[in-house]
Amino acid sequence: MKKLGIIGCGWLGNHIAERLSNQYEIFATTTTVSKVADLESKGYQTTLVSFPNEMDPEMKVWEAAKDLDAIVISVPFSGLRGKQLPMNDKRQNLLNFLGDYRGQLFLASSTGVYAQEQKEFSEEDQPAENVESEKFILEKFPQTNILRLAGLMGGERLLKNYNISDLDQLVNHIHYADICSVVEKMLHNQSESKVYNVVSPMHPNKQEVINAQKGLPYEGERTMVGRTVSPQKLINELNFEFQYPDPRYFHS
């Protein structure tokens, strides 16, 4: 059985692990002592490690890494919404943890790397070498696949459950099941050095999404103008079909 590492086995990491645990032996990391037993109860080999914002002189290379076929990094290395914050020590701690890993590598990034402009963004609008929170890993591990994830939704994460403002704003969301499918397909394809927007192709506004999730009709005007992020490159190159193309129906 192949071996998959998931650095940062939180909400998203757990979903990826659950999807792939019948195909891969899972090696997980967590920052929380109480989560170790939970992850191990699922059959995952678990390492307790954190990546502090200051240099950790005690940071050792991940012992398991040399045996792993692929690693998914699901730890935030940018600020909220992709804001460029100084995190050089935190990033260096991660690089030290990875050692000289040469296998397939994925970094969970964010569509927040794109400017707050009313237009449709593609990957070409923001090359990874211009994004500090992506460039740092490519310089040492050029094989890294960068997945720019939209707002993470699905399961208990539904827009209707949050206190939301700007209700006429178009959404860029993605269901966790589709993220899992993207990772699964790229693992199978042995993809390397790819940059993809992982975002549902439909962009209703927030009010439409909330109404649909509450079973209410939507009678407002639908604007087609807003800040949207395109998954077209992902669709074309991976021949990818979304299980949840429309955020209005993430709950069904």
Side-chain angles (χ1 to χ4, degrees):
M1 196 178 237
K2 287 187 169 183
K3 296 177 167 64
L4 174 67
I6 299 177
I7 296 178
C9 208
W11 185 82
L12 178 59
N14 257 298
H15 282 300
I16 293 171
E18 285 170 17
R19 166 70 73 88
L20 296 169
S21 59
N22 63 336
Q23 304 170 54
Y24 290 83
E25 187 179 352
I26 303 294
F27 291 74
T29 82
T30 179
T31 60
T32 312
V33 175
S34 60
K35 285 186 180 173
V36 173
D38 177 54
L39 293 170
E40 288 182 339
S41 73
K42 297 175 180 178
Y44 308 158
Q45 305 282 335
T46 307
T47 301
L48 183 68
V49 65
S50 62
F51 303 101
N53 290 329
E54 56 284 330
M55 277 299 294
D56 180 358
E58 305 296 313
M59 182 63 71
K60 294 181 171 58
V61 174
W62 193 12
E63 184 61 31
K66 64 183 185 300
D67 300 318
L68 301 179
D69 297 282
I71 295 175
V72 176
I73 301 165
S74 183
V75 174
F77 285 96
S78 64
L80 189 64
R81 297 193 177 281
K83 293 277 192 300
Q84 299 305 303
L85 298 178
M87 289 191 176
N88 293 339
D89 287 349
K90 182 184 178 85
R91 293 169 186 151
Q92 190 58 49
N93 287 328
L94 172 74
L95 298 177
N96 293 346
F97 186 64
L98 288 169
D100 60 357
Y101 182 71
R102 289 290 168 260
Q104 205 178 2
L105 199 54
F106 296 81
L107 177 70
S109 183
S110 163
T111 54
V113 303
Y114 299 112
Q116 294 297 317
E117 291 177 27
Q118 304 296 298
K119 59 170 279 189
E120 181 180 69
F121 288 93
S122 71
E123 292 82 353
E124 287 67 40
D125 289 310
Q126 188 63 286
E129 56 267 25
N130 296 346
V131 180
E132 191 186 345
S133 57
E134 298 174 351
K135 178 180 73 168
F136 85 97
I137 197 160
L138 290 169
E139 288 175 342
K140 184 173 180 185
F141 302 103
Q143 77 270 30
T144 305
N145 296 300
I146 306 290
L147 303 182
R148 292 174 175 169
L149 307 179
L152 303 177
M153 293 288 168
E156 75 285 0
R157 286 196 182 192
L158 295 173
L159 207 59
K160 70 173 184 177
N161 296 335
Y162 297 90
N163 186 15
I164 301 297
S165 59
D166 301 321
L167 293 173
D168 58 345
Q169 198 173 66
L170 303 185
V171 303
N172 294 284
H173 286 169
I174 184 68
H175 195 290
Y176 70 78
D178 282 318
I179 301 173
C180 295
S181 296
V182 168
V183 172
E184 185 174 27
K185 194 154 195 174
M186 293 178 73
L187 285 167
H188 183 261
N189 290 357
Q190 289 293 302
S191 302
E192 291 200 333
S193 308
K194 299 292 186 182
V195 179
Y196 289 132
N197 295 330
V198 186
V199 50
S200 295
M202 298 186 70
H203 305 278
N205 71 33
K206 294 177 184 177
Q207 190 69 67
E208 286 180 272
V209 175
I210 291 168
N211 282 24
Q213 291 173 353
K214 289 183 173 180
L216 301 172
Y218 176 75
E219 289 156 4
E221 291 279 319
R222 171 92 189 275
T223 178
M224 304 307 289
V225 179
R227 177 185 176 276
T228 60
V229 179
S230 170
Q232 199 57 50
K233 181 182 174 187
L234 175 78
I235 293 167
N236 293 348
E237 292 190 5
L238 284 184
N239 192 26
F240 190 76
E241 292 184 21
F242 286 83
Q243 183 181 345
Y244 293 93
D246 190 339
R248 289 175 294 183
Y249 305 110
F250 278 7
H251 60 297
S252 55

